[in-house]
Amino acid sequence: MSASSGQNGGTKPWGGRFSEATDPTVERFSASIHFDKVLARHDIRGSKAQARMLGRAGLISDTEAEELVGGLERVAEEIEDGTFPFDPALEDIHMNIESRLRTHLGAVAGKLHTGRSRNDQVATDLALFLRDVSLATQRGLLELRGVLLERARENVDTVLPGYTHLQRAQPVRLAHHWLAHIETLGRDAARFRDARARIVRCPLGAGAMAGSTLPLLREETAAELGFEAPTRNSMDTVASRDLALEYMADAAIAMVHLSRLAEELVLWSSSEFSFVELADAYSTGSSLMPQKKNPDVPEIVRGKSGRAIGNLVTLLTVLKGLPLTYNRDLQEDKEPLFDTVETLRDSLEVMAGAIATLDVRGERMAEAASDPMLLATDLAEFLVRAGVPFRDAHEVVGKIVGHVTREGLDLRSLSKNEMQGFHEAFDAGADDLLDLERSLESRALAGGTARVRVEANLEEIAGELAAERAEIERLEAEAAR
Ligand code: ARG
């Protein structure tokens, strides 16, 4: 029966204070069960720790504690196998589970909520949830970087133009380009790792906002739930959502990075570039134009980055005017958070698939990179090595480029005499300056395009990813316990 049909709040646990049922509109408006059911597993985990602690604290008998734990396990199974009867009249996941427990166990179920409020309960659920999803996100980022690393290994000898302002700038190895994205995504992974390392204090026991008069064993529930310690301030505990904010901020950054990577795939798969072709499994056709093969997957990723940004702004806005401590506005944290978690998870997965199956058109890239204009900087730096001030060298080469452009010439067609007409320092040493391989190899500084640098990076990153994988696996095993 729904609460609204009862005479005093019916199934609601606060029935005593009320003489009228909740208006059905209000019930629908305030219910969160349709989205906070995502927290079921975490809620039950917290409740089991709570039940055991109540037993150890002598607040309930050992038998009652066991009964509660057994009942919660039964509820967990129902949720797992899809037979749990979610009831919107019971507002949220916390009350749905407690009510079901009462159906199974009778009056003893009423002891579970001893010394607890939904305020510290939901904060606990969220902390447990964030700990899980942060780790899963780290794994997603690891897998994508693994794919990029594979592609980088295969493409040390594939050369393409690097771009600034989307204008051809200087030649680079495709490996160097993929490694650039690995760097960015590596910092993203580190952000989730850092944020997860801050989820170390357990909210359970903060009560509604001021703690409890009962002798709760907060250290014990904290330890059982894998936290280092209980939270230090009950008010902050129920009022704050910055752990969720941090996840969402980190996710918004990561989604923006995925969006930039996606944008390159969109550009590169256009006929204008034709640098890559997405696998059939990662593209779609047009319902009207038979010839089309569209890069929908990267486009959707690019589009979805907007959600991640919007979700972050939503929660920031929800929080900005709230006085301490818990306010019901906080319920608005969940949908944006869950949406961001899903969006990032799926985007990482499809991007990894799209890149793993990408057909790289090395010959098209090479053609674009063969434009000798890309080596103009090398000419200027040659003059610098001959003692010409860089500004002057830039000016000289600018004149050469202007000349060949006006005359429709190939930079490589200029004779030594013509070159020396622009600057006498262009002597025999300048002979193979316009050679692509030489240009790549001459950038042998840390961070440069020379083969030794790129190969050293490949090795270093392979080592980092392996170490990260081992750490993630260790944490996953810990979380599964
Ligand atoms: N569904 C609520 C939320 O997500 C749970 C806490 C409700 N607490 C309360 N005092 N009404 O925030």
Side-chain angles (χ1 to χ4, degrees), residues 185-200:
L185 296 166
R187 288 191 300 277
D188 291 339
R191 266 184 280 275
F192 285 101
R193 184 169 179 261
D194 292 350
R196 190 174 190 272
R198 251 182 296 288
I199 314 179
V200 286

Side-chain angles (χ1 to χ4, degrees), residues 32 36 92 94 118-119 122 241 326 328 330-331 334:
S32 56
D36 66 15
D92 58 23
H94 322 297
R118 281 184 293 158
N119 300 351
V122 74
R241 289 295 181 269
Y326 180 85
R328 188 64 182 272
L330 290 177
Q331 180 167 294
K334 290 177 198 62

Side-chain angles (χ1 to χ4, degrees), residues 92-109:
D92 58 23
I93 187 63
H94 322 297
M95 295 204 297
N96 265 267
I97 289 174
E98 192 183 321
S99 157
R100 190 67 184 157
L101 197 61
R102 188 182 297 273
T103 307
H104 292 325
L105 304 180
V108 68

